[in-house]
Amino acid sequence: MIFQPEFETMSRSAMEALQLQRLQETVAYVYERVPLYRQRLDEMGIGPGDIRSLEDIRKLPFTVKDDLRDNYPYGMFAVPMKDVVRIHASSGTTGRPTVVGYTQDDIEMWSTCVARLCAAGGATQEDIGQISFGYGLFTGALGLHFGLAKLGAAVVPISSGNTERQIQLMADFGSTVLVATPSYALYMAEVAEKMGMMDRIKLRVGLFGAEGSTEEMRAELERRWGIVATENYGMSELIGPGVSGECTEKCGMHINEDYFYCEIVNPDTGEPVEDGEWGELVVTPLHKQALPLLRYRTHDITRLLKGPCKCGRTTTRMQKIAGRSDDMLIIRGVNVFPSQIESVLVGMEGIGPHYEIVVTKKGFMDQIEVKVELIDAALLDAYKELEALTRKIHDRLKVVLQIDAKVTLVSPNTLKRFEGKAKRVTDLR
Ligand code: ADP
Ligand code: ZN
């Protein structure tokens, strides 16, 4: 089902006209209301009247996470507090949290964006949606909560954690849609299997997001739960979830382009890349009131896929995120994304889908160690087989990464499990 065909199947020219109109409004709006932008635009000698085409967006300054941090907590808000009805914040694991605000209209727009993506992923008003994202300042849970509600589904706001109870209630309540991070969904599947509950579970759709995962991980999740799994993308600074999401064709995440203008730039130079090339995603929200932003640098690496989709939507899609420019590892000069390692490991015979990556330095040499769980603990005593499996993983990693990684096979169920976003890389350099 297409939730809002009038926007999701718009012709290219109508969409671009709408985007241009909203971009012009946004520039005028931030110039008027946000001192940081007025000052930056004045310094660059650019005024709202200079935006005459969508390409003119390149004249505008970028915004980075530090701008929000420097103006902590509310310095970039464009409305008085009386108009703000919700505040969220990012986890802040890397410094001060970034604080974001919403007006009532922003909440409406946000819910609509998420409802579109839930529908694209196969959810309907008949569904019972279990939200196993952690509720709180994190935008994921409430974002999906309001989106599924807007679609008309029944929402079960169970939050994350307490996994055995999650599974029990999933069966008892007859949940048909699961909202979670892919890593938590994987852990939940493991627990459901262990509890012998899979037969009683009615899930048919998985709406996953908030972190990356590979096609291999998707296949694993679909197989274990017996669902159709799609993923969606967003970040709190832009709105939360709801920027883009896959339809059931699974060929890239449809962007809510009437609300978010996406560019791809070279992460080092900030210059636009050629059409269809990979680079850093830069997003300008086109219709936000409380926290409008110009050209926000996401650090997420992707590329844009244009042209209509088999599902009937005409919106531009963005490809699965390859990684974040700031979590790309440079190992002995070679660029390595954790997602490349995941692709090799997940689904390989003899090992489970959980893994950890540890990077260290020995003298001047970077060392990378990949820890993987065995499915069968007995193998730990079978030296020859263990050796052969270790070599096989090592060799496959080498083909993909072009570097030698140390592979360590560990007992089943010994690596860390995650209830929210997974943290699989430890860089000790
Ligand atoms: P924080 O993690 O700082 O609390 P957010 O919850 O806003 O902040 O996280 C946003 C980030 O999550 C994105 O920039 C991106 O790196 C990651 N993310 C969200 N959805 C996806 C997805 N579908 N694929 C890959 N990464 C994602
Ligand atoms: Zn589609």
Side-chain angles (χ1 to χ4, degrees):
M1 193 264 277
I2 299 186
F3 187 67
Q4 282 191 321
E6 64 276 33
F7 296 104
E8 296 174 81
T9 66
M10 250 185 174
S11 73
R12 200 59 347 226
S13 57
M15 179 61 80
E16 288 180 356
L18 179 63
Q19 288 182 316
L20 177 58
Q21 179 208 328
R22 289 187 169 171
L23 178 63
Q24 289 165 334
E25 287 165 4
T26 299
V27 176
Y29 184 81
V30 299
Y31 188 81
E32 187 72 19
R33 291 171 177 247
V34 185
L36 173 120
Y37 283 125
R38 174 183 289 247
Q39 189 192 339
R40 277 200 192 154
L41 291 168
D42 278 346
E43 276 166 16
M44 296 169 83
I46 296 164
D50 290 315
I51 305 300
R52 291 189 204 91
S53 70
L54 283 172
E55 284 70 52
D56 284 341
I57 197 169
R58 294 175 191 169
K59 298 179 183 164
L60 297 172
F62 288 121
T63 308
V64 295
K65 203 179 184 88
D66 275 343
D67 293 324
L68 286 159
R69 291 202 176 123
D70 294 346
N71 291 282
Y72 176 84
Y74 306 138
M76 289 182 71
F77 282 19
V79 296
M81 244 344 138
K82 75 171 173 47
D83 295 333
V84 173
V85 300
R86 180 87 66 75
I87 290 167
H88 280 282
S90 74
S91 50
T93 35
T94 53
R96 275 182 181 176
T98 34
V99 179
V100 300
Y102 304 75
T103 63
Q104 193 57 52
D105 272 14
D106 289 337
I107 298 275
E108 277 302 309
M109 180 271 269
W110 184 20
S111 312
T112 300
C113 285
V114 177
R116 287 180 189 171
L117 305 182
C118 293
T124 71
Q125 56 181 9
E126 308 285 332
D127 279 304
I128 301 173
Q130 177 155 343
I131 303 202
S132 305
F133 274 151
Y135 277 69
L137 288 177
F138 169 58
T139 51
L142 280 167
L144 265 295
H145 182 127
F146 276 59
L148 276 175
K150 180 142 231 152
L151 188 62
V155 176
V156 183
I158 193 164
S159 198
S160 64
N162 214 337
T163 309
E164 292 199 356
R165 182 163 166 273
Q166 294 256 359
I167 302 300
Q168 186 64 48
L169 295 187
M170 183 184 278
D172 295 349
F173 290 7
S175 302
T176 50
V177 172
L178 174 62
V179 173
T181 58
S183 48
Y184 190 41
L186 180 64
Y187 174 42
M188 287 172 79
E190 220 170 52
V191 174
E193 284 159 10
K194 222 176 281 163
M195 290 168 74
M197 295 285 279
M198 274 303 188
D199 289 348
R200 286 195 49 214
I201 282 171
K202 297 205 175 63
L203 280 193
R204 51 175 211 92
V205 166
L207 301 174
F208 300 134
E211 67 178 6
S213 66
T214 55
E215 283 302 337
E216 289 77 8
M217 186 65 87
R218 184 214 303 273
E220 179 83 12
L221 287 167
E222 291 190 326
R223 184 179 63 78
R224 290 175 90 149
W225 283 114
I227 54 172
V228 174
T230 57
E231 68 166 321
N232 53 76
Y233 168 86
M235 70 195 308
S236 27
E237 295 90 314
L238 299 174
I239 193 87
V243 175
S244 66
E246 288 175 319
C247 65
T248 49
E249 300 290 334
K250 304 176 206 168
C251 54
M253 296 183 274
H254 285 280
I255 298 167
N256 280 316
E257 283 185 286
D258 47 337
Y259 291 122
F260 300 95
Y261 187 80
C262 292
E263 301 169 81
I264 304 290
V265 305
N266 177 318
D268 300 323
T269 63
E271 288 301 315
V273 300
E274 296 291 317
D275 257 2
E277 291 292 307
W278 290 86
E280 178 182 344
L281 177 70
V282 172
V283 186
T284 304
L286 295 174
H287 203 62
K288 264 178 83 186
Q289 293 180 334
L291 184 63
L293 296 171
L294 299 181
R295 305 187 83 198
Y296 192 72
R297 302 281 300 246
T298 65
H299 292 291
D300 293 317
I301 305 294
T302 182
R303 67 190 186 121
L304 299 183
L305 308 166
K306 304 214 164 146
C309 175
K310 279 192 208 133
C311 71
R313 291 175 184 79
T314 52
T315 44
T316 301
R317 287 155 287 143
M318 54 189 254
Q319 189 138 344
K320 197 178 254 312
I321 306 284
R324 291 180 53 83
S325 57
D326 46 10
D327 68 24
M328 184 182 75
L329 298 164
I330 303 181
I331 311 286
R332 285 167 242 149
V334 179
N335 297 349
V336 174
F337 278 118
S339 59
Q340 294 175 293
I341 297 177
E342 180 175 301
S343 283
V344 171
L345 300 176
V346 177
M348 222 174 133
E349 218 177 308
I351 57 173
H354 299 274
Y355 61 96
E356 272 175 36
I357 300 165
V358 184
V359 187
T360 50
K361 216 172 184 85
K362 221 182 202 168
F364 291 105
M365 281 286 269
D366 300 321
Q367 310 277 337
I368 183 165
E369 180 184 11
V370 177
K371 295 185 189 172
V372 204
E373 281 180 6
L374 287 167
I375 287 181
D376 180 4
L379 214 64
L380 283 171
D381 301 320
Y383 181 76
K384 257 202 172 137
E385 287 167 51
L386 194 66
E387 172 80 17
L389 182 56
T390 306
R391 172 122 315 262
K392 186 161 131 194
I393 299 170
H394 167 275
D395 292 351
R396 289 207 191 163
L397 285 171
K398 177 135 195 187
V399 171
V400 174
L401 309 176
Q402 270 121 44
I403 52 170
D404 286 294
K406 177 177 179 218
V407 174
T408 308
L409 292 168
V410 302
S411 305
N413 285 310
T414 51
L415 295 180
K416 193 169 162 35
R417 304 305 196 244
F418 298 93
E419 295 180 347
K421 299 194 191 217
K423 188 183 175 304
R424 295 203 171 87
V425 181
T426 312
D427 195 337
L428 298 170
R429 289 175 294 181

